[in-house]
């Protein structure tokens, strides 16, 4: 057991470690500090080209993950070639599956522009050709030939009708055959007055004439069809002739891109097939309501537009895309829709690229937490990486819901490096639960939350302060303030020998100190400003801690800091409220009686114990068996509890405390209530390190200060936790003045001697402990309990 002096309670940075008066005289930093392992892993992961070597960057926010990724990617991307442009165009064979066209970087924009000019030139050339005298003359010649043939057939019909005794009259419903007698047309009434045999003879001639006329009408319709087909072929031939030089120009320019050239030919075929709509020529006899639904030439020309979804014309090196919102549509793109005549419609020009399209050929950085919050993003990303292609589907379709018919663009080949950015917890979950994750993300870059504290790292911390103040135009820090920032960093790291790499927290302290310094009209951030910031941050979050201390002072929560009590001890625990962690004392009591060797944890019985708390109770039971149960059965029934604890209890840091209470109850030797204790224990009685040692000491000190410091109160901590001590100045000052004490213990024997003032006792040659020792009294009491239980279990006792 060792009583710690003030020098052992905190590491202090010496101002002489900085060769400056303010941070303005120091150098600025380049790159990431204190992460050699993570940087090595990132270097490897980014450079290896093989499939599956994507990277998971694990670490807490503020440890330099994003900075490291950005720096590495910028350096590496600059050495890589610029990837291709990608366009989507209409698939005229199946408009629901648009085609993807690839072009060298910067050429996609050029191709889209050339196609637009081709469409405009085509419309102008076709309209000029159709309005030309030469084309009109050719059309007129064809029409005249048809009209001559039609007139000849019409004249033949009239002659045949006249020979049959009829005259042909045109009506709105067609030709009417009117019988004539002696050159006089007969009305229906006149025909009805004729003799039956005359009427019969007229009907016979009418029937014969109708047969002949139907044959003639068929000839007329055939002539009309032939004329339309001849005019169509003539028009198509003329249009193709007009378009040929325009198409040839595109062919020659893109002769190495077979897919693009093929699409240009398909475009020209579709243009000719839909010539009326392309030039805005309305079909004859179309009802007005139908004509209103026909798109204008400009709207119809959308089917010939090139949709450039990835434009790398201004890209230098490989692209780097940082995803801010990892939804499915943001990652994989979407097909937009717009309402027309009460329905949602879409086309190829409404396809929008996602982050995977933009990062193709480069690097994609995704926050894993945001991605996992979107249920379809991660499975879809895996499929894209496994298949080396990026497709585009409706979210409802991906999830298996009913969808309306829409576009399904042709998938684009995918080659990129994906970097997932997240906490270590997510990596463990994905690695254990998803076999695909192991094959796709084979590189892990672990960012540590601490780094060693030595002369080099302390100087680097000073350079970090300089870098931050220059980058954000903050006031410079005095050398004393820099030293305090270094000490604050060690406090964050919970170690005298470490510095925190949580630079976001350290940066916020400097920013807040800058605010206070400017508020006071200072030109530098001094030591007082850093201390004020730390105190104010604590004050803003410490309401709950103060309420607990108030309850203790008023006696609502029972904690003794004076006197001696058997089987009662002050344990120390840590409470976390998210942004704020603080320590508080808890009364732990133990009671014993003869029984069947049970040590009952009341929290466990009430289902308030966590697994580590249960383990701690089992370990102290093992210590009792090892120390006192070798020559007799442990015939006791013991109960341990955290008094006035109404929530869950977990962790094994109170196991040594519970064991002290148990030894006190068994030996009937009181424990001095001026002490509070923390530390876990193993079955051999060694006191082991715990977490939150600074908060626990400061929590008990605050309670003692609230009730009143007597100069006797103190704390027992594990010896292995001395290296973690970075206590507040007020605690250190109290220790220096003898108002508060901190002891380090290595074994249960050391602790129980300090708590009770009685020797623990060592086993003698006869196997027994001295009677005037704690262990001697415990051993004697356990023997008495064993005899009681043996006597109680004798068969004749019941008689």
């Amino acid at each position: 057991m060792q009583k710690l002096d003030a020098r052992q309670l905190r590491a202090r940075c010496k101002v002489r470690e900085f060769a400056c008066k303010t941070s303005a005289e120091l150098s600025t930093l380049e790159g990431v500090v204190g992460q050699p392992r993570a940087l090595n892993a990132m270097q490897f992961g980014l450079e290896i080209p093989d499939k599956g070597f994507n990277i998971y960057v694990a670490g807490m926010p503020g440890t330099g993950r994003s900075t490291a990724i950005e720096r590495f990617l910028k350096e590496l991307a600059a050495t890589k070639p610029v990837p291709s442009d990608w366009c989507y165009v209409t698939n005229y064979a199946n408009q629901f599956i648009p085609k993807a066209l690839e072009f060298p970087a910067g050429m996609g924009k050029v191709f889209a522009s050339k196609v637009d000019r081709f469409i405009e030139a085509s419309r102008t050339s076709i309209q000029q050709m159709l309005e030309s005298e030469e084309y009109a003359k050719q059309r007129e010649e064809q029409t005249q030939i048809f009209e001559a043939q039609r007139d000849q057939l019409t004249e033949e019909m009239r002659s045949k009708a006249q020979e049959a005794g009829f005259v042909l009259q045109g009506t709105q419903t067609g030709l009417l055959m009117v019988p004539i007698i002696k050159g006089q047309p007969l009305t229906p009434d006149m025909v009805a007055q004729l003799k039956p045999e005359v009427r019969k003879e007229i009907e016979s001639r009418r029937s014969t004439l109708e047969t002949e006329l139907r044959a003639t009408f068929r000839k007329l319709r055939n002539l009309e069809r032939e004329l339309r087909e001849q005019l169509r072929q003539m028009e198509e031939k003329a249009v193709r002739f007009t378009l040929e030089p325009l198409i040839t120009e595109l062919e020659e320019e893109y002769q190495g891109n077979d897919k693009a050239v093929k699409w240009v030919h398909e475009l020209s075929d579709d243009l000719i097939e839909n010539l009326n709509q392309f030039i805005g020529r309305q079909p004859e006899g179309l009802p007005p309501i139908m004509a209103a639904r026909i798109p204008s030439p400009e709207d119809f020309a959308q089917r010939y537009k090139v949709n450039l979804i990835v434009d790398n014309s201004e890209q230098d090196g490989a692209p780097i895309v940082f995803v801010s919102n990892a939804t499915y549509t943001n990652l994989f793109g979407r097909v937009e829709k717009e309402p027309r005549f009460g329905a949602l419609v879409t086309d190829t020009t409404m396809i929008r690229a996602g982050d995977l399209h933009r990062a193709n050929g480069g690097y994609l950085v995704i926050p894993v937490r945001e991605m996992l919050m979107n249920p379809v993003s991660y499975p879809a990303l895996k499929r894209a990486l496994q298949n080396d292609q990026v497709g585009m589907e409706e979210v409802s379709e991906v999830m298996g819901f009913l969808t309306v018919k829409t576009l399904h663009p042709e998938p684009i080949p995918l080659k990129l490096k994906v970097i997932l950015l997240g906490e270590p917890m997510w990596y463990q979950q994905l690695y254990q639960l998803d076999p695909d994750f192991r094959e796709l993300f084979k590189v892990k870059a672990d960012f540590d939350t601490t780094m060693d504290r030595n002369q080099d790292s302390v100087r680097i911390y000073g350079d970090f302060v300089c870098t931050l103040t220059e980058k954000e135009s903050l006031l410079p820090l005095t050398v004393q303030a820099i030293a305090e920032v270094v000490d604050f960093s060690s406090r964050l790291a919970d170690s005298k020998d470490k510095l925190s790499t949580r630079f976001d927290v350290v940066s916020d302290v400097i920013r807040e100190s800058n605010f206070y310094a400017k508020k006071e009209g200072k030109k530098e951030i001094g030591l007082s400003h850093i201390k004020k910031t730390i105190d104010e941050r604590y004050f803003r979050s410490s309401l709950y801690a103060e309420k607990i201390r108030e309850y203790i002072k008023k006696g609502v929560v029972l904690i003794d800091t004076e006197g001696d009590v058997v089987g009662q001890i002050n344990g120390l625990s840590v409470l976390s409220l998210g942004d704020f962690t603080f320590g508080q004392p808890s009364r732990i009591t133990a009671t014993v009686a003869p029984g069947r060797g049970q040590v009952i944890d009341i929290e466990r019985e009430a289902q308030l114990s966590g697994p580590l708390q249960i383990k701690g109770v089992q370990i102290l039971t093992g210590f009792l068996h090892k120390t006192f149960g070798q020559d007799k059965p442990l015939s006791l029934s013991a109960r341990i509890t955290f008094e006035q604890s109404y929530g869950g209890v977990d962790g094994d840091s109170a196991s040594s405390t519970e064991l002290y209470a148990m030894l006190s109850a068994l030996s009937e030797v009181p424990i001095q209530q001026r002490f509070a204790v923390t530390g876990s224990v193993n079955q051999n009685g060694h006191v082991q390190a715990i977490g939150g040692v600074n908060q626990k000491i400061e929590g008990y000190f605050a309670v003692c200060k609230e009730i009143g410091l007597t100069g006797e109160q103190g704390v027992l901590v594990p010896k292995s936790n001395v290296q973690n001590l970075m206590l507040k100045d007020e605690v250190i000052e109290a220790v220096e003045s003898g108002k508060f004490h901190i002891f380090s213990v290595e074994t249960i024997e050391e602790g129980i001697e300090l708590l009770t003032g009685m020797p623990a006792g060592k086993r003698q040659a006869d196997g027994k402990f001295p009677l005037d020792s704690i262990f001697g009294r415990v051993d004697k009491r356990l023997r008495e309990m064993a005899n009681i239980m043996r006597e109680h279990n004798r068969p004749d006792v019941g008689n």
Side-chain angles (χ1 to χ4, degrees):
M1 183 270 296
Q2 180 186 9
K3 185 177 180 179
L4 303 181
D5 60 37
R7 292 172 299 176
Q8 296 172 285
L9 304 182
R10 175 174 177 152
R12 292 196 181 275
C13 181
K14 305 295 190 297
V15 295
R16 62 173 178 269
E17 296 191 49
F18 305 99
C20 67
K21 292 184 178 180
T22 71
S23 60
E25 301 172 25
L26 299 176
S27 303
T28 56
L29 280 176
E30 295 293 336
V32 180
V33 177
Q35 304 290 351
R37 188 190 313 274
L39 299 183
N40 178 271
M42 286 190 60
Q43 187 83 40
F44 166 75
L46 291 174
E47 291 182 356
I48 186 170
D50 301 86
K51 183 176 180 178
F53 284 87
N54 297 294
I55 307 170
Y56 187 103
V57 178
M60 300 302 294
T63 53
R65 300 174 306 169
S66 299
T67 303
I69 292 171
E70 186 174 0
R71 182 175 70 86
F72 269 100
L73 292 182
K74 282 184 177 179
E75 291 177 359
L76 190 59
T79 66
K80 302 294 182 182
V82 180
S84 302
D85 291 347
W86 285 94
C87 307
Y88 272 117
V89 294
T90 302
N91 181 354
Y92 302 108
N94 186 347
Q95 295 187 32
F96 292 102
I97 307 178
K99 289 185 175 182
L101 300 181
E102 181 181 10
F103 296 93
M107 296 307 296
K109 180 189 293 186
V110 175
F111 179 74
S113 177
K114 287 185 177 295
V115 170
D116 286 342
R117 290 199 296 269
F118 169 79
I119 295 300
E120 289 302 319
S122 296
R123 181 182 285 113
T124 302
S125 298
I126 290 172
Q127 287 174 340
Q128 289 175 351
M129 180 274 294
L130 294 178
E131 295 169 1
S132 66
E133 292 183 4
E134 182 180 356
Y135 177 75
K137 182 179 179 181
Q138 292 177 0
R139 188 179 178 87
E140 182 64 26
E141 289 176 355
Q142 291 290 337
T143 304
Q144 288 177 355
I145 293 173
F146 164 75
E147 288 177 348
Q149 293 174 333
R150 184 187 60 185
D151 292 344
Q152 181 180 352
L153 289 174
T154 302
E155 185 59 35
E156 288 179 2
M157 285 193 296
R158 288 197 178 98
S159 298
K160 289 181 180 179
Q162 191 171 7
E163 290 175 2
F166 290 89
V167 64
L168 299 179
Q169 293 182 353
T171 66
Q172 291 182 349
T173 59
L175 287 177
L176 181 64
M177 292 183 292
V178 179
I180 55 176
I181 296 178
K182 296 180 181 180
Q184 183 69 29
L186 301 180
T187 64
D189 293 336
M190 296 172 65
V191 173
Q193 295 176 3
L194 296 175
K195 295 180 180 182
E197 57 273 14
V198 176
R199 290 201 304 272
K200 185 177 180 180
E201 190 267 337
I202 290 174
E203 289 299 324
S204 176
R205 284 187 282 115
R206 184 195 301 274
S207 177
T208 303
L209 180 60
E210 283 180 349
T211 302
E212 293 177 355
L213 289 181
R214 277 196 291 270
T216 304
F217 275 123
R218 281 196 294 272
K219 291 180 181 180
L220 275 174
R221 285 194 293 271
N222 289 337
L223 280 176
E224 289 175 353
R225 279 196 294 269
E226 288 176 4
L227 174 65
R228 286 196 297 271
E229 180 62 23
Q230 288 172 1
L231 292 176
R232 188 195 66 76
Q233 290 179 359
M234 183 181 69
E235 186 177 72
E236 179 179 337
K237 183 178 179 181
V239 169
R240 288 190 184 279
F241 181 80
T242 302
L243 296 179
E244 185 175 354
L246 301 176
I247 295 173
T248 301
E249 182 181 349
L250 285 175
E251 281 181 343
E252 291 176 352
E253 188 159 356
Y254 296 98
Q255 60 183 351
N257 193 330
D258 295 339
K259 194 172 182 180
V261 171
K262 182 182 179 182
W263 178 77
V264 169
H265 283 283
E266 292 171 353
L267 181 153
S268 63
D269 291 340
D270 184 82
L271 186 152
I272 293 170
E273 185 178 344
N274 298 280
L275 185 61
N276 286 341
Q277 291 178 274
F278 178 67
I279 63 176
R281 188 168 60 190
Q282 294 282 356
E284 296 179 2
L286 193 67
I289 190 171
M290 297 299 295
R293 292 180 176 270
I294 295 178
S296 66
E298 291 74 18
D299 290 340
F300 184 78
Q302 290 292 105
R303 67 193 283 114
Y304 305 124
K305 288 276 188 181
V306 175
N307 184 5
L308 179 62
I309 66 164
V310 178
D311 180 14
N312 288 315
S313 58
E314 299 181 3
Q315 183 70 41
D316 293 325
I320 304 169
V321 176
F322 287 84
V323 179
S324 58
N325 184 14
T327 63
Y328 177 84
T329 53
N330 285 348
L331 287 175
F332 291 87
R334 64 191 182 279
V335 178
E336 295 180 343
K337 301 175 181 64
E338 64 181 16
R340 291 181 190 171
F341 298 103
L344 293 175
V345 298
T346 187
D347 57 44
T348 305
T349 62
M350 297 185 191
I351 299 173
R352 300 292 177 260
D355 290 329
L356 265 78
H357 298 90
R358 287 185 280 271
N360 198 7
Y363 307 93
L364 182 66
V365 183
I366 307 175
V368 68
R369 183 173 179 272
E370 284 74 6
M371 181 179 67
L372 294 177
M373 289 174 64
N374 293 276
V376 298
S377 296
Y378 177 59
L381 176 66
K382 288 196 303 179
R383 286 194 297 272
L385 295 177
Q386 289 167 338
N387 299 328
D388 294 325
Q389 62 181 25
V390 52
M392 195 179 298
E393 298 177 275
E394 295 282 341
V395 175
S396 56
E397 191 172 3
V398 176
M399 299 181 70
F401 299 152
L402 182 65
T403 59
V404 296
K405 197 168 186 179
T406 186
L407 301 181
H408 291 86
E410 178 186 0
I412 290 175
L414 183 67
K415 185 174 178 60
L416 81 170
K417 186 77 71 172
V418 176
I419 299 99
L420 294 183
L421 185 64
E423 290 78 7
M425 173 190 69
W426 296 116
Y427 178 86
Q428 298 298 332
Q429 293 289 325
L430 290 169
Y431 192 88
Q432 292 175 10
L433 300 177
D434 183 13
D436 295 333
F437 177 79
R438 308 170 199 173
E439 297 300 320
L440 295 173
F441 293 89
K442 297 180 179 181
V443 180
K444 179 186 178 185
D446 249 331
F447 276 73
D448 200 354
T449 55
T450 63
M451 63 181 181
D452 291 336
R453 177 169 176 168
N454 50 47
Q455 286 186 346
D456 290 338
S457 60
V458 167
R459 292 194 186 100
I460 288 174
Y461 236 83
D463 292 341
F464 161 74
V465 172
C466 174
T467 304
L468 177 69
T469 54
E470 287 195 11
K471 180 180 179 182
E472 301 188 10
S473 301
L474 306 178
L475 296 176
L477 276 71
T478 65
V479 67
Q480 294 83 1
I482 298 173
E484 187 65 21
V485 168
V486 172
D487 290 345
F488 173 75
S489 176
S490 285
R491 165 79 178 206
L492 278 181
D494 275 330
S495 176
K496 300 172 186 173
D497 306 322
K498 297 287 184 179
L499 292 173
S500 174
T501 56
R502 294 288 305 276
F503 292 105
D504 58 336
V505 180
V506 177
S507 298
D508 284 343
V509 168
I510 296 174
R511 294 183 186 108
E512 292 177 33
S513 302
N514 178 75
F515 167 77
Y516 291 125
K518 283 187 173 181
K519 193 174 181 181
E520 295 177 7
K522 303 294 184 180
K523 296 183 179 180
E524 297 172 343
I525 299 172
L527 174 63
S528 61
H529 302 123
I530 299 294
K531 287 188 172 183
K532 181 177 181 179
T533 295
I534 296 171
D535 292 341
E536 288 293 323
R537 287 167 70 93
Y538 179 86
F539 176 74
R540 290 196 297 268
S541 303
S542 61
L543 175 63
Y544 189 69
E546 289 186 5
K547 290 290 185 183
I548 291 177
R549 292 198 293 271
E550 181 182 342
Y551 291 151
I552 293 173
K553 184 178 181 181
K554 291 180 177 180
V556 177
V557 176
L558 301 179
I559 296 291
D560 291 335
T561 60
E562 296 179 284
D564 303 324
V565 181
V566 173
Q568 177 178 300
I569 192 169
N570 295 323
L572 294 174
S573 58
V574 171
L575 274 70
S576 178
L577 301 178
D579 64 328
F580 180 63
T581 302
F582 65 96
Q584 69 163 21
S586 300
R587 174 175 289 180
I588 298 174
T589 59
T591 59
V592 295
R596 301 184 181 278
Q598 294 176 315
V599 177
I600 297 174
D601 176 13
I602 293 179
E603 267 69 33
R604 179 182 181 183
E605 296 299 309
Q607 297 184 348
L608 293 175
S609 263
L612 295 181
Q613 162 70 8
I614 295 171
K615 178 184 177 183
V617 173
Q618 295 299 316
I619 288 174
L620 72 86
T621 304
F623 172 82
L624 293 175
H625 278 277
K626 178 179 182 295
T627 307
F628 305 107
Q630 302 303 309
D631 55 355
K632 58 186 173 299
L634 294 186
S635 302
L636 83 160
S637 175
R639 281 168 171 76
I640 303 174
T641 189
F642 282 74
E643 303 288 356
Q644 293 184 289
S645 172
Y646 307 109
V649 177
D650 200 9
D652 65 347
S653 65
S655 57
S656 68
T657 315
E658 293 169 323
L659 181 53
Y660 293 139
M662 181 76 69
L663 294 173
S664 172
L666 285 169
S667 66
E668 298 181 324
V669 176
I671 290 176
Q672 301 176 67
Q673 299 301 296
R674 63 191 178 100
F675 289 115
V677 181
T678 185
S680 68
V681 67
N682 62 26
Q683 294 186 103
N684 295 318
H686 296 119
V687 179
Q688 303 169 139
I690 43 80
V693 65
N694 293 299
Q695 289 82 0
K696 290 177 178 179
I697 294 173
E698 291 165 358
Y700 186 62
F701 173 80
V703 169
C704 294
K705 182 181 176 183
E706 190 77 23
I707 296 174
L709 290 170
T710 64
E712 298 294 328
Q713 296 115 331
V715 175
L716 276 68
V717 300
K719 182 178 180 181
S720 51
N721 274 126
V722 174
Q723 62 186 324
N724 303 113
L725 296 179
M726 285 294 295
L727 294 171
K728 292 181 178 178
D729 286 339
E730 64 171 343
V731 180
I732 297 173
E733 291 169 3
V735 171
E736 284 181 325
S737 61
K739 295 180 180 180
F740 196 72
H741 311 280
I742 301 173
F743 299 87
S744 66
V745 297
E746 197 167 6
T747 64
I748 289 296
E749 290 84 349
E750 293 176 2
I752 197 66
E753 289 180 1
L754 180 61
L755 292 169
T756 63
M758 180 179 288
K762 292 185 178 180
R763 194 179 294 276
Q764 300 173 341
D766 60 357
K768 296 181 180 180
F769 296 98
L771 291 178
D772 58 346
S773 67
I774 296 293
F775 284 5
R777 286 171 172 264
V778 171
D779 191 59
K780 179 183 176 183
R781 182 79 181 279
L782 289 173
R783 288 184 187 279
E784 292 172 354
M785 289 181 177
N787 291 332
I788 292 172
M789 291 303 296
R790 191 181 301 112
E791 188 69 21
H792 179 74
N793 293 329
R794 280 174 52 190
D796 58 338
V797 172
N799 298 327

